Amino acid sequence: QVQVVESGGGLVQAGGSLRLSCTVSGLTFDDYAMGWFRQAPGSEREGVSYISWTGGRTFYADSVQGRFTASRDNAKNTLFLQMNSLKPEDTGMYYCAAVWAAMTTADMRPIDEHSWGPGTQVTVSS
C-alpha cells in the first residue's frame, strides 16, 4: 500500500519561501514520476508541479512557473518543492503523489487515488 507524508508547510509572509518535503513508501520510488498538488478552500485540487522518475524532466503550472522548483532524492524516497516569492494565492493544502506520465500539470493523475497523504498547509499572508 502506497503511503505518503508531506511536511514543511507553515505561515509565511508574501515574498517569503518554504520548502516542502514528501516521503513515500509502499512502492519503488524511482519507478515513478511524482507530482505536487494543492487545494485551496472551496476549490478543486490542482496540479502544481511534475518531476520525472530521474528528476531530469520537470514542468509547472503557469501560476508557479519561475517561483517553484521540484526535486527528488531517490536514495531517500523523498520529493521536495522549493517555493520562493510566495503569494497569498499560493495558500492551500499541498499534497504529493506518484503520478502517471503526463505532459502538463493539468493532465497529472495519481497512480492510486486512494493513497493521498494528509497534506501540509501553506498559508501566505499579505
Side-chain angles (χ1 to χ4, degrees):
Q1 182 178 358
V2 178
Q3 292 186 321
V4 298
V5 178
E6 303 91 347
S7 62
L11 173 63
V12 64
Q13 289 188 331
S17 298
L18 285 172
R19 189 186 194 215
L20 307 185
S21 298
C22 165
T23 57
V24 182
S25 61
L27 54 71
T28 304
F29 184 71
D30 56 8
D31 278 353
Y32 293 95
M34 294 295 298
W36 282 102
F37 298 78
R38 69 184 179 189
Q39 187 168 20
S43 300
E44 293 187 355
R45 189 173 290 164
E46 64 173 351
V48 173
S49 73
Y50 172 99
I51 184 167
S52 63
W53 64 277
T54 64
R57 179 170 174 250
T58 57
F59 52 79
Y60 303 89
D62 289 345
S63 58
V64 307
Q65 179 72 46
R67 300 187 297 119
F68 289 13
T69 303
S71 60
R72 62 190 296 163
D73 183 341
N74 286 347
K76 296 182 178 180
N77 285 18
T78 303
L79 175 72
F80 303 100
L81 186 67
Q82 179 66 43
M83 307 188 296
N84 298 329
S85 303
L86 282 161
K87 304 176 180 180
E89 51 264 44
D90 294 319
T91 293
M93 190 70 79
Y94 283 68
Y95 304 88
C96 70
V99 296
W100 300 114
M103 297 299 292
T104 70
T105 54
D107 295 334
M108 294 195 304
R109 296 294 181 269
I111 65 168
D112 185 350
E113 289 279 1
H114 303 291
S115 295
W116 291 104
T120 187
Q121 177 68 39
V122 172
T123 304
V124 185
S125 63
S126 58

